[in-house]
Amino acid sequence: MFQGEFSNNMDEKGRVSIPAPFRDTLKTHHADGQLFITRSHNTDCLIAYPTREWKRLQAAVKEMPAKLRPHFKRAVITPSQLFSPDKQGRILLAGVLRQHASLSRAVHFAGTGETFEIWDKASWDKQLVTDLAALQDFELDM
Amino acid sequence: MFQGEFSNNMDEKGRVSIPAPFRDTLKTHHADGQLFITRSHNTDCLIAYPTREWKRLQAAVKEMPAKLRPHFKRAVITPSQLFSPDKQGRILLAGVLRQHASLSRAVHFAGTGETFEIWDKASWDKQLVTDLAALQDFELDM
DNA sequence: GTTAAATTCCCCACGATTCCCCACTAAATC
DNA sequence: GATTTAGTGGGGAATCGTGGGGAATTTAAC
């Protein structure tokens, strides 16, 4: 499980450390240790899928409304890149992906269970304000 | 049952002791002794869920209005941190959580039955004034 | 095709943080 | 008053994030 929030800094070369807890789950639960990273189709962030989840996504694409499929393929499947963290646990995010999430220096990692998201810290903070505002009057009954 | 109020001090390293009575109930009523700690979605405090209650929360997320779900996931589920108190019964809260509750030194623990809340002492005191004011003209009939 | 420049990859190194253990003090219990 | 328990502090080892150097590879330029 990918859980928790972590902020790391991207250096001048464009390298960012994957948070250690995420590396651990990747290593222990996902044999090949590889990550497919692509853009989110409806938020300003990137989503990292371990191989198993990436396959599930591809299966889901086949099930989605035919009209949306080409859009989704171009927007999400095509720009995806395969990563394996280097010995220091870092990845090098380049070009298209970095731009889509407006990544500059402060990079925010957010665990979402089977995958995790990669945000620019400022964007995340902004999003969080919106989230909390939307929940202000919500009462959870359990 | 988590019941009562307790104040402990966070040290320079960011460690806080869980009040002994809470540790006891955790140990006797919750086999794994683990705590999920996360943001409260509508108050300036943190909420600690034993595993069983955490599962109930996750079930509740599936039942909540679809519009709110992504907000709730980002604001509450993602930042959650899993703890098992160390040998001294302390935990080390991550920056994100510490900030949400504005925790500095005096940390206030408030039992709420199946879960308990973690407040900055000053915020708690302030909240209490509001609570009492709101109840000023209320007559309880029972 | 050859050379130059830029990029990427791999390794080492430093500083900060975190984790784990031990110790002290004050309060509670017997 | 002696003994246990709770909260707090600190030291040292290990881990993590981050910067930088240099080799290797790719890309661009002539």
Side-chain angles (χ1 to χ4, degrees), chain B:
Chain B
M1 287 282 285
F2 298 107
Q3 211 170 26
E5 289 181 45
F6 306 90
S7 269
N8 287 338
N9 291 323
M10 188 165 71
D11 64 21
E12 280 99 47
K13 295 183 181 178
R15 298 174 297 184
V16 210
S17 294
I18 306 280
F22 289 2
R23 273 182 288 172
D24 279 356
T25 52
L26 191 62
K27 205 151 102 187
T28 54
H29 297 298
H30 303 274
D32 61 1
Q34 290 187 325
L35 280 178
F36 289 80
I37 300 183
T38 191
R39 264 196 269 268
S40 155
H41 70 279
N42 55 5
T43 39
D44 291 334
C45 72
L46 306 178
I47 306 186
Y49 299 83
T51 307
R52 187 195 311 146
E53 293 304 309
W54 182 252
K55 283 183 181 162
R56 290 190 53 222
L57 175 65
Q58 287 185 314
V61 171
K62 289 179 185 158
E63 301 300 319
M64 68 190 288
K67 273 205 174 173
L68 292 179
R69 208 175 299 140
H71 295 301
F72 195 86
K73 280 190 178 176
R74 260 192 303 270
V76 177
I77 305 297
T78 291
S80 73
Q81 217 184 335
L82 180 59
F83 291 95
S84 10
D86 68 15
K87 221 173 185 176
Q88 282 72 22
R90 287 182 287 195
I91 55 172
L92 179 72
L93 292 165
V96 186
L97 295 178
R98 220 181 305 175
Q99 278 170 31
H100 176 75
S102 321
L103 299 182
S104 50
R105 187 170 163 80
V107 180
H108 201 72
F109 295 82
T112 57
E114 302 304 323
T115 62
F116 62 90
E117 297 180 348
I118 303 175
W119 291 74
D120 178 69
K121 182 72 166 59
S123 309
W124 172 268
D125 291 343
K126 210 172 142 193
Q127 179 66 49
L128 197 60
V129 172
T130 310
D131 292 336
L132 289 172
L135 296 167
Q136 198 55 46
D137 300 320
F138 174 64
E139 288 298 330
L140 187 66
D141 56 326
M142 52 177 283

